[in-house]
Amino acid sequence: MAIIIDGKKVSAEVKEQVRLETAQLLQKGIRPGLAVIIVGDDPASRVYVNNKKKACETVGFLSREYALPATTTQQELLDLVKELNNDREINGILCQLPLPQGLDEKAVIEAISPLKDVDAFHASNVGKIMIGDYDFLPCTPAGVMEMLHSYNIKVEGKKCVVIGRSNIVGKPMAMLLLHENGTVTITHSRTKNLSEVTKEADILVAAIGRAKFVGADMVKEGAVVIDVGMNRDESGKLCGDVDFEEVKDKCYAITPVPGGVGPMTIAILMKNTLKACKIQNNC
Ligand code: GUN
């Protein structure tokens, strides 16, 4: 039976550390503040944003939500970002993605001040990650690394395969594994003989957004399997990109969905917001 990597537990530990450091800042009259922008009424985004607000409360941050209608114009959104860039109470700005059709995500990301870009999506922060000299790491990949560290799973020298090449997860995930001296392969929808590649992986990260896509036939015996997916199966139940029931007996360790990577993403967001606050206050 595989080790079930407990994202709830590890994320609680990260948040507790952030809470303690925040309490010290509060004594100096400094309170980290996060602004979360949500546009439209995507139900999944609503759940994510609510969880982010809840985490802010847990660690003692100021949190402000800006819930805008789907009819919001690009200019209105950019004006709000500009206002928040200049708001001294706000240290981190997050615009929940995806945005409704017609809004330009890239332009919004680039409008956020890199100093307040706690998602680490801005081109300047992405570039800093590439050269290994960064302030913020993207929340989901950094959450995965934190889980590996917590379970003492070493990356150095291992064959790491990432399925998916998104800017939010796949690409930065590969870079973080590389920083820890993994031998990394990025695969995607055009990869030929995908299972031949994934079966080589000592550490397999699935970030494709397809329910139960990774079956036992794609996994090497004794591998570590990280499931970044958040999907609904045929019966509407939450599930990941990995067929958990099929894969769990074949691997050394595996993350469940829910309760795996998801809570880690939010814990790292808290860590990034605290860091942004410290940088902006020179402490
Ligand atoms: N949508 C899905 N994941 C994320 C994330 O990490 N940050 C933002 N801003 N939007 C998302």
Side-chain angles (χ1 to χ4, degrees):
M1 178 68 187
I3 295 168
I4 311 295
I5 298 178
D6 188 344
K8 273 196 194 162
K9 177 169 155 274
V10 183
S11 74
E13 288 163 6
V14 173
K15 282 188 287 185
E16 178 56 12
Q17 187 58 38
V18 173
R19 191 187 69 76
L20 291 171
E21 288 189 44
T22 302
Q24 288 177 355
L25 286 181
L26 288 171
Q27 285 184 346
K28 294 190 212 166
I30 298 169
R31 186 175 195 203
L34 177 68
V36 180
I37 304 169
I38 174 169
V39 188
D41 46 18
D42 178 66
S45 288
R46 173 40 66 197
V47 173
Y48 295 140
V49 166
N50 287 349
N51 288 338
K52 288 169 185 177
K53 279 166 44 189
K54 223 183 286 170
C56 282
E57 264 173 49
T58 305
V59 299
F61 291 176
L62 164 75
S63 90
R64 277 207 232 131
E65 178 185 301
Y66 295 84
L68 307 178
T71 52
T72 301
T73 65
Q74 183 75 20
Q75 195 53 51
E76 285 166 337
L77 192 49
L78 292 175
D79 286 346
L80 172 60
V81 169
K82 198 170 163 195
E83 187 187 311
L84 294 170
N85 281 341
N86 294 319
D87 187 329
R88 296 186 61 116
E89 280 193 348
I90 295 300
N91 305 112
I93 304 168
L94 179 146
C95 182
Q96 187 65 32
L97 304 178
L99 289 172
Q101 264 199 343
L103 291 171
D104 180 354
E105 284 181 0
K106 208 169 141 221
V108 175
I109 289 168
E110 293 309 307
I112 294 173
S113 160
L115 291 172
K116 297 191 176 185
D117 171 36
V118 285
D119 265 325
F121 290 168
H122 191 287
S124 104
N125 286 323
V126 175
K128 284 181 161 194
I129 292 159
M130 284 286 285
I131 59 174
D133 172 23
Y134 45 77
D135 295 316
F136 310 119
L137 288 174
C139 300
T140 300
V144 170
M145 298 312 289
E146 192 90 38
M147 285 199 289
L148 295 178
H149 299 157
S150 177
Y151 280 81
N152 212 15
I153 295 166
K154 299 277 183 281
V155 174
E156 178 148 330
K158 301 268 176 68
K159 281 189 185 168
C160 307
V161 175
V162 179
I163 319 178
R165 55 173 156 180
S166 71
N167 289 334
I168 296 185
V169 184
K171 287 188 215 168
M173 185 74 250
M175 200 51 58
L176 299 198
L177 291 163
L178 184 62
H179 286 168
E180 297 200 5
N181 302 315
T183 302
V184 187
T185 304
I186 306 179
T187 64
H188 45 79
S189 54
R190 311 277 173 89
T191 298
K192 293 215 163 61
N193 304 322
L194 178 63
S195 61
E196 295 305 312
V197 183
T198 60
K199 264 195 296 196
E200 292 281 307
D202 300 309
I203 298 176
L204 180 62
V205 181
I208 18 167
R210 286 174 65 178
K212 300 183 187 174
F213 180 81
V214 176
D217 58 328
M218 295 176 73
V219 177
K220 180 164 93 171
E221 193 86 41
V224 172
V225 179
I226 306 290
D227 191 350
V228 179
M230 184 65 83
N231 315 291
R232 301 258 169 206
D233 68 9
E234 326 74 53
S235 53
K237 210 170 135 230
L238 270 184
C239 72
D241 290 349
V242 177
D243 189 331
F244 184 86
E245 285 309 314
E246 211 185 285
V247 171
K248 74 177 196 302
D249 297 321
K250 203 174 176 185
C251 49
Y252 168 71
I254 185 167
T255 62
V257 176
V261 175
M264 290 306 301
T265 299
I266 295 181
I268 302 296
L269 175 66
M270 300 298 110
K271 209 170 153 174
N272 283 350
T273 305
L274 175 67
K275 188 158 188 198
C277 176
K278 284 181 167 178
I279 292 171
Q280 286 159 41
N281 287 283
N282 298 312
C283 56

